[in-house]
Amino acid sequence: MDPLAQLKDIHLPAPVSAWPLSLYWWLVIIIIVLIVGLAIYAVLQYLKKTKLTRLALAELTQLQQQGCEVNDLHHLLKRIVLTSFPRQTAASLHGEAWLKFLDQQASSKKRVFSAFSNNTAAWTLDLYSAKPNMLADSVHFKTCQDWIKKTPLIPVDCNVDSRVKYRVKNKVEQSVENSNV
């Protein structure tokens, strides 16, 4: 007899299982979950922060499609300002002080926004007339759109970073002081 014929086949070890995962795979999974969670949180915060701007632009577009008067744009801007800034500083503003306030809110250190002050006559012509009938033209809508996009619109009652509140509060107080002078 052949001694090789009596040998049994080689026993292979059991295949390596994927479970339990090694420590490094668990760390990778945890890091991926954290990154996805932070990305979702950042997107939700961005949507919350820009909600007022998006709503204002949508309403401005609706007014533009309907064809409105300049006074309607003033009402829209006043509602936006009363939502975004302290009522005691913005509610009593009117005329040129109102237009200067709007310009100052959209201005920054790098750029000066002066579209309202440069066109004072176009914005205040029918403001106090008994029968306002000055229809808003594309310049009025473009100015409002630019102002809405350039102004940091954060609802007053929103929980935001205290540095942002402090910056907006100081900017509002400075603009009111400058407009009263």
Side-chain angles (χ1 to χ4, degrees):
M1 289 220 203
D2 187 19
L4 291 178
Q6 295 176 356
L7 291 178
K8 297 182 180 177
D9 280 341
I10 298 175
H11 293 283
L12 296 176
V16 178
S17 172
W19 293 99
L21 293 177
S22 70
L23 175 66
Y24 298 109
W25 281 112
W26 283 111
L27 290 176
V28 168
I29 290 171
I30 290 171
I31 289 172
I32 289 173
V33 168
L34 285 175
I35 289 173
V36 168
L38 287 174
I40 291 171
Y41 178 77
V43 167
L44 291 176
Q45 288 300 318
Y46 174 78
L47 291 175
K48 182 178 177 182
K49 182 180 170 187
T50 61
K51 181 178 182 180
L52 187 58
T53 302
R54 288 182 283 118
L55 289 173
L57 288 173
E59 189 164 347
L60 181 68
T61 303
Q62 184 179 9
L63 286 174
Q64 188 173 12
Q65 290 171 352
Q66 293 173 352
C68 69
E69 299 172 353
V70 175
N71 281 347
D72 295 331
L73 295 178
H74 278 290
H75 293 301
L76 173 65
L77 292 172
K78 187 66 104 167
R79 283 187 303 162
I80 294 168
V81 166
L82 290 176
T83 305
S84 300
F85 300 98
R87 183 172 289 276
Q88 62 271 17
T89 57
S92 63
L93 295 175
H94 60 280
E96 288 187 34
W98 165 246
L99 297 176
K100 286 181 185 176
F101 174 81
L102 291 174
D103 284 340
Q104 289 170 350
Q105 296 312 312
S107 296
S108 69
K109 292 179 182 177
K110 295 181 180 178
R111 58 176 163 65
V112 175
F113 188 87
S114 60
F116 289 105
S117 296
N118 290 345
N119 266 341
T120 303
W123 283 99
T124 59
L125 186 62
D126 269 1
L127 194 58
Y128 302 109
S129 129
K131 293 183 178 179
N133 59 2
M134 184 174 161
L135 290 177
D137 58 4
S138 62
V139 174
H140 291 104
F141 288 109
K142 179 70 174 143
T143 303
C144 288
Q145 184 180 25
D146 290 344
W147 183 85
I148 290 169
K149 287 181 178 178
K150 292 178 182 177
T151 304
L153 300 177
I154 303 169
V156 175
D157 61 347
C158 185
N159 294 330
V160 294
D161 188 4
S162 61
R163 291 175 292 167
V164 174
K165 279 187 180 179
Y166 180 75
R167 182 175 54 96
V168 170
K169 180 181 174 189
N170 284 342
K171 197 173 184 182
V172 168
E173 289 172 356
Q174 288 173 355
S175 65
V176 170
E177 289 173 6
N178 292 339
S179 64
N180 289 337
V181 173

